[in-house]
Amino acid sequence: MQLTIFGSGYVGLVTGACMAEVGNHVVCVDIDAEKTRRLNAGEIPIFEPGLEDYVVRNMEAGRLEFTTDIAKGVDHGLFQFIAVGTPPDEDGSADLKHVLAVARSIGEHMNGYRIIVDKSTVPVGTADKVRETVRAALNERGAELEFDVVSNPEFLKEGAAISDFMKPDRIIVGTDNPRTGELLQALYEPFNRNHERVISMDIRSAELTKYAANAMLATKISFMNEVANIAERVGADIEKVRIGIGSDPRIGYQFIYPGAGYGGSCFPKDVRALARAAHAVNYDAQLLDSVEAVNNRQKLRLFEKISARYDGDLAGKCFALWGLAFKPKTDDMREASSRNLMEALWAAGASVRAYDPEAMEETQRIYGDRKDLQLCDTAQEALEGADALAILTEWQEFRSPNFDMIRDTLSDAVIFDGRNLYDPDLLSMHNITYYAIGRSNEAAATPGAYNRRKTDRVVNS
C-alpha cells in the first residue's frame, strides 16, 4: 500500500520505517528542510535501538523516502498519517496547531479519496476538528471529495519502539465507517498474523484510550513513589513492598518501580492534557491533578536527600551524575529528572560532572557550555573530583559497578540512587553510605548527619 506520513519525528519516523519494512511504499513529509536533508543522507536525528537499520535498509530498497513537498505527499498515499507534535499549551492542554495545519494542507492538495489517520496523541474531539478543517479547505477550492478521518493512536515505548510496532500488544482503530475499518485492518495485517490485535471502536473512545493508558501508567508510578516516601518514614523497604504487591496478578510488577519521578515526551504531557480536558467539561479530575503533583514533588526528592546530607551547604561541592536521559535506551531528556536535579544543584552553588551513554549531545544542546557542568566520556571519569555520586537513569552499565573504585574516587563515599539499583547491605560492606528511594536505611538522611560523621571521624582518629 501507499502511505504518507506527516512528521518525521519520533512517532512518524518509527511508523514510516516499520510500515516500509513490511513492503509498503512510504513517503514522510516534514517542513524541517534540514531534518529532511539529514534523513535523506541516512542520518537519524534521534536514538532508538534498531531504527537506523530499518530506515537505511528501506531507503535503499526504495520503499521509504523523505521530502518537504506537501503536494507530493498528499498525492502519494491513500493513507495520510498525521504524526506531528502536540506540545502542551500554556494551560497544559494539547496544542493542535500542527495537527490542524496538516489537515488543512491535505484539504488544499487532495484530488481523490483519502483516509486521514490521527497518529499523534490528541484530545477527544480532535478528529471532528480535523474533519472540519479538511472540509473547509475543500470548500474554499469548490471541491467535493470524499475522505474519512480515523483515530489510530500509537503505543510506542522509547527504547523499544521498533519491537512495539512490529509486535504490538494492541492496534486501536477508531472509525465511524466500516469500510475504512476494513482498509485499516488490511494495512495492519502484517502486524496481526499471530492473533487478532486490532480493536475497533468509535473515534472518541479511541482518542480517549491513549490518554487513559498513559495516565494509568503514570498513576501507578506516582502511587509507588507516594508509598516509597511513607516507607522511608516508617522504617520499611519499598523494594520488598513492591515484590509483595506485585505478586498479586491484579496489580502485577510493571510500572511499580519507585524512583525520582517519570519524565519523557508522553506521561507528563498526557496527564496534564487529560486533566485540562476534564476541567474543560467541568469535571474536577482530582486523581490526575494529584498524579502530576506527586511526580513534580518526587523529582526534587533526590535533591532534598543531598541537601539534608550536607546540612543545606552545597556551595562549592561537586556531584557526579550518572544518567541524563529520562529512561534507558534513549537520548530523550524532555522533562527528565536529571534536569531538575542539576538545576537545583546549580542554584545551590554546586557543580556537576555528568555521564550518559546516549544523551551527552542532547545535554550540550540544552545547556550549552557552563562552568558548573562538565560532560564526561565515561562513568568513571565523572567520579573524578566529585564529592558524591547521584544516579538518575537505570542504564545497564550502572547496575554492577566497581564499588571499591567508586568509594576510593569520591571525596565523600556517598551514593544517592534515584532508581534503587543497589542492595543497601552490599554498599554497607563496601563502606559506602547509600541513600535510595523508600529504603529502610533512610534514618541516616537527617540534617546534621554529615557533620556528626565528620566529627566522629576526627574523634576516632
Side-chain angles (χ1 to χ4, degrees):
M1 296 188 180
Q2 295 192 169
L3 291 76
T4 297
I5 298 176
F6 286 91
S8 297
Y10 185 83
V11 174
L13 193 54
V14 171
T15 300
C18 291
M19 284 293 189
E21 180 71 10
V22 297
N24 297 301
H25 183 192
V26 180
V27 171
C28 292
V29 181
D30 201 292
I31 61 173
D32 187 332
E34 176 58 21
K35 180 194 291 185
T36 302
R37 183 198 65 77
R38 290 180 60 193
L39 286 167
N40 279 320
E43 299 176 22
I44 310 303
I46 59 174
F47 173 75
E48 177 64 37
L51 179 58
E52 183 174 358
D53 290 342
Y54 271 50
V55 170
V56 172
R57 178 167 58 249
N58 286 287
M59 285 179 61
E60 291 176 348
R63 295 189 297 265
L64 179 62
E65 55 185 291
F66 300 93
T67 183
T68 58
D69 189 337
I70 294 173
K72 176 182 177 180
V74 176
D75 183 64
H76 171 78
L78 167 64
F79 297 95
Q80 302 275 308
F81 280 78
I82 301 179
V84 295
T86 53
D89 215 334
E90 292 182 2
D91 64 352
S93 60
D95 186 346
L96 297 177
K97 64 183 178 184
H98 302 304
V99 171
L100 298 181
V102 172
R104 181 166 184 82
S105 294
I106 294 172
E108 289 172 341
H109 295 284
M110 61 186 285
N111 55 14
Y113 176 67
R114 294 291 182 269
I115 299 173
I116 301 168
V117 183
D118 285 337
K119 199 71 175 172
S120 302
T121 301
V122 294
V124 175
T126 298
D128 294 336
K129 295 179 180 179
V130 168
R131 185 179 293 107
E132 292 166 3
T133 301
V134 174
R135 180 61 62 196
L138 289 172
N139 289 341
E140 290 176 9
R141 295 168 50 196
E144 293 186 8
L145 297 172
E146 186 182 0
F147 66 94
D148 283 299
V149 180
V150 177
S151 175
N152 174 221
E154 54 85 14
F155 295 93
L156 305 176
K157 298 187 298 291
E158 292 194 46
I162 296 295
S163 175
D164 285 345
F165 199 102
M166 300 301 289
K167 298 177 181 180
D169 297 320
R170 73 287 206 196
I171 302 167
I172 301 295
V173 174
T175 179
D176 54 11
N177 186 335
R179 179 189 65 175
T180 306
E182 292 173 2
L183 289 170
L184 264 293
Q185 180 91 30
L187 175 65
Y188 278 107
E189 183 61 29
F191 311 97
N192 199 35
R193 297 181 67 84
N194 180 265
H195 65 273
E196 182 60 57
R197 294 182 172 91
V198 173
I199 302 173
S200 297
M201 59 185 71
D202 61 278
I203 294 175
R204 285 180 172 246
S205 295
E207 291 172 331
L208 183 56
T209 295
K210 175 55 189 286
Y211 274 126
N214 280 351
M216 172 60 81
L217 297 175
T219 299
K220 293 181 72 173
I221 295 170
S222 280
F223 173 80
M224 284 304 293
N225 284 331
E226 195 86 298
V227 176
N229 293 332
I230 295 171
E232 292 181 9
R233 288 157 175 78
V234 301
D237 186 338
I238 192 62
E239 290 301 319
K240 292 181 173 63
V241 175
R242 176 181 63 81
I243 293 170
I245 68 173
S247 62
D248 186 331
R250 297 171 300 175
I251 298 173
Y253 291 104
Q254 291 189 320
F255 285 86
I256 59 169
Y257 289 88
Y262 59 76
S265 63
C266 295
F267 287 6
K269 173 176 69 71
D270 293 352
V271 169
R272 284 195 293 267
L274 183 55
R276 301 309 178 269
H279 296 161
V281 292
N282 298 316
Y283 181 73
D284 184 10
Q286 296 179 16
L287 178 59
L288 295 176
D289 293 338
S290 296
V291 168
E292 182 182 8
V294 168
N295 190 61
N296 290 338
R297 182 178 64 189
Q298 196 69 14
K299 286 186 175 182
L300 293 174
R301 189 73 187 97
L302 218 57
F303 176 75
E304 292 170 357
K305 293 175 181 289
I306 293 171
S307 183
R309 165 78 183 185
Y310 298 106
D311 296 334
D313 183 12
L314 302 180
K317 294 194 178 299
C318 178
F319 293 90
L321 181 58
W322 285 1
L324 295 164
F326 87 94
K327 63 180 286 188
K329 298 182 181 180
T330 183
D331 60 353
D332 193 342
M333 289 183 63
R334 284 174 288 186
E335 304 215 32
S337 300
S338 62
R339 297 177 65 171
N340 297 82
L341 178 59
M342 287 193 294
E343 290 165 13
L345 290 171
W346 294 331
S351 60
V352 173
R353 295 176 59 83
Y355 167 74
D356 187 283
E358 295 295 339
M360 304 296 274
E361 289 185 11
E362 181 66 2
T363 306
Q364 179 69 37
R365 184 192 69 80
I366 293 170
Y367 292 112
D369 295 324
R370 300 178 56 112
K371 292 182 179 180
D372 50 10
L373 173 62
Q374 178 67 45
L375 298 178
C376 303
D377 293 331
T378 65
Q380 182 172 351
E381 182 187 341
L383 300 172
E384 297 171 3
D387 291 290
L389 167 64
I391 302 173
L392 268 301
T393 315
E394 61 274 32
W395 287 96
Q396 286 289 347
E397 67 177 270
F398 301 154
R399 291 184 179 274
S400 185
N402 184 330
F403 291 116
D404 289 338
M405 178 273 294
I406 293 174
R407 180 197 62 220
D408 295 341
T409 305
L410 296 172
S411 61
D412 186 24
V414 182
I415 295 177
F416 300 92
D417 184 357
R419 300 301 172 190
N420 288 6
L421 296 185
Y422 310 131
D423 181 347
D425 292 336
L426 175 63
L427 269 70
S428 179
M429 291 174 57
H430 286 276
N431 295 317
I432 294 175
T433 302
Y434 182 58
Y435 299 89
I437 304 295
R439 308 304 293 266
S440 57
N441 65 340
E442 291 301 305
T446 56
Y450 176 62
N451 285 333
R452 285 196 296 274
R453 276 186 288 272
K454 289 195 296 184
T455 302
D456 291 343
R457 284 196 293 269
V458 172
V459 171
N460 293 332
S461 65

